[in-house]
Amino acid sequence: MRHHIHTIYIAAVALFSACGMQKVTDAEMVYSKPEIYPDYVGVTIPANIAPLNFTMQNDSALMVDAVFTGTKGGELHAQGEASTSIDPDKWQALLKQNVGGSLFVQVSARFADGWRTYTPFGIDISTDSIDYGITYRLIEPGYEAYTKMGIYETCLQDSRERAIIENTQVRGCVNCHSFNQGNTSFMSLHVRGDHGATLIQLPGHELTAFDTKTPETLASCVYPYWHPSGRFIAYSTNNTRQGFHAGGKKIIEVLDLASDMQVYDIERNVLIVPEVLKGDSAYETFPSFSPDGKWLYYCVAHPKEYPSQVKEMYYNLCRIAFDEATGTFGQKIDTLVNAEAMNKSVAYPRPSYDGQYLCYSLADYGYFHIWHQESELYLLDLPTGESLPMTLANSQDAESVHSWSTNSRWIVFASRRDDGQFTRPYFCHVSADGEVAKAFMLPQESPKTFYDNRFMSYNIPEFVTSPVQIDGKKAEELLLKSERKPMRARLTK
């Protein structure tokens, strides 16, 4: 008798195979839940998500079989060699029928010595839908050089991916893409290199290439975040360097040698540079506006000596008032999370669009948490000021960059939990009262084959409510030209 397996010989099981499917017969019952990839056991999903195909973690499995039974009715049978092959139309119908309920999943796997049937597990189907898709940058997780990278989008209803713009078009580093609360009519996209520029797209306007470096600012504008009005974009300017650890699990460190924040006024073509957020006494980065546009959240640290004090670089979560009518800032800075007092560091603050929560990552030090294995996601209740770890969403590896769905019920984030090397997109549900569900990986038609052959990391995942509207060919033409529209800076008190 195998470990954890009780043998029961089943002459016939109540699984009636569809045409072309093998029958599960004479199966050994395994009194534990199946170990599957991706891990969809006990997750909460939206009703408009692509089929959750999976395979067995045990590579010796020759076939995997699954029966999905809805608590409100309906059943779906899927089977396959590399993974389950779920019919998309039947899947969507089953989910729609069971919104607010659950699916019970009975998994069987065929091995060289026969079938094994595992303890069923559940999948909850939320009444909260998810947005059309996500955008992200795909990049090799290296640090010496890169070959191919680009900005891509995936439709969450069918997992189809398409390229928005790739660096092979412009021979540069394509990064820092942002939309106005998922509205793809508003886009900011930064490109570094010989053809560097910031592309800005607005409704009813032509795509424009900007030179965002001014005599008054440190560098070009990065880490964009749109004001809900669509008139302003918050940026930081950073003087960053790469460093390497001589030993230990951490390989690379991205150092912030100086950083400031500014807000671009689109109507006036003015880069607003407030004195309170400029200077050498503090490093400010990762701006994000509150959903009502009245506050600017950001991370701030006190300068340290590099490299000797790199592990003492702690960023706090702060906010400052912003008046969209005048384009001016307040003078009082509020500290929402004093991470320095805990010898910790905050990065990537992103508020939910309902104004209730703010998600951020917390690590031992620094601000580039993508390479920090200890980095975890936290949820700040904005009205109460209480922060709690997102335990069911976190893992033993790095959770980092993230964004909210437009209904404030889903978070997509980058995680290295899969293999410790590549960041993959994961999703978790956040209820109105702040309950965080177990996270699940972006579905694929054949997930193990897909992810095993994708030697790229997903970076800066962001929800969008419709396909990205930028004309890739037009963007290429603009970037290959030398003309750039200059921004002018205005220092304010």
Side-chain angles (χ1 to χ4, degrees), residues 315-317 337-340 342-348 359-366 369 372-378 387-389 394 398-400 402:
Y315 286 81
N316 292 330
L317 173 60
V337 177
N338 188 349
E340 186 175 13
M342 303 181 288
N343 293 332
K344 295 289 184 180
S345 190
V346 168
Y348 317 120
C359 182
Y360 63 90
S361 68
L362 190 71
D364 289 345
Y365 63 90
H369 292 174
H372 282 236
Q373 186 180 30
E374 79 282 0
S375 175
E376 292 190 332
L377 297 181
Y378 275 69
S387 279
L388 292 173
N394 290 322
E399 274 72 55
S400 54
H402 51 271

Side-chain angles (χ1 to χ4, degrees), residues 144-169:
E144 302 91 355
Y146 58 83
T147 52
K148 185 177 180 180
M149 68 165 67
I151 307 297
Y152 302 81
E153 73 172 26
T154 287
C155 173
L156 295 178
Q157 284 71 58
D158 58 20
S159 297
R160 292 182 183 178
E161 179 180 86
R162 75 178 181 96
I164 299 170
I165 186 169
E166 296 176 312
N167 70 319
T168 51
Q169 298 173 251

Side-chain angles (χ1 to χ4, degrees), residues 190 192 213 217-223 235-243 253-262 279-280 282-286 303-304 306 313 315 367-368:
H190 184 60
R192 291 188 305 225
K213 175 67 178 74
T217 53
L218 288 170
S220 297
C221 293
V222 293
Y223 302 139
Y235 292 100
S236 69
T237 49
N238 300 67
N239 180 9
T240 58
R241 294 290 185 274
Q242 261 188 175
E253 197 68 54
V254 177
L255 308 176
D256 189 11
L257 304 182
S259 55
D260 293 321
M261 284 198 306
Q262 45 275 311
D280 299 330
Y283 297 167
E284 300 95 352
T285 190
F286 293 132
K304 301 292 182 181
Y306 287 126
M313 196 71 178
Y315 286 81
Y367 85 110
F368 205 76

Side-chain angles (χ1 to χ4, degrees), residues 243-253 307 310-311 365:
F244 298 89
H245 293 278
K249 293 183 178 180
K250 290 189 178 73
I251 301 173
I252 186 174
E253 197 68 54
V310 63
K311 293 186 178 181
Y365 63 90

Side-chain angles (χ1 to χ4, degrees), residues 66 72 100 162 214 270 281 294 342-343 380 411 454 478:
K72 294 185 176 183
R162 75 178 181 96
T214 74
V270 169
S281 62
K294 295 180 179 180
M342 303 181 288
N343 293 332
L380 169 64
I411 291 176
R454 170 152 281 187
L478 282 173

Side-chain angles (χ1 to χ4, degrees), residues 45-50 92 126-135 153-160 179-184 351-354 402-412 427-429 440 442-443 461-468:
I45 63 172
N48 56 333
I49 195 73
Q92 292 297 334
S126 173
T127 56
D128 300 312
S129 62
I130 204 164
D131 290 325
Y132 159 80
I134 57 170
T135 60
E153 73 172 26
T154 287
C155 173
L156 295 178
Q157 284 71 58
D158 58 20
S159 297
R160 292 182 183 178
F179 307 91
N180 186 6
Q181 297 189 359
N183 185 344
T184 58
S352 59
Y353 297 123
D354 61 5
H402 51 271
S403 75
W404 290 86
S405 64
T406 55
N407 63 3
S408 300
R409 296 282 72 87
W410 302 93
I411 291 176
V412 58
F427 302 82
C428 67
H429 182 260
F440 64 94
L442 174 67
E462 185 165 346
F463 281 107
V464 289
T465 57
S466 63
V468 176

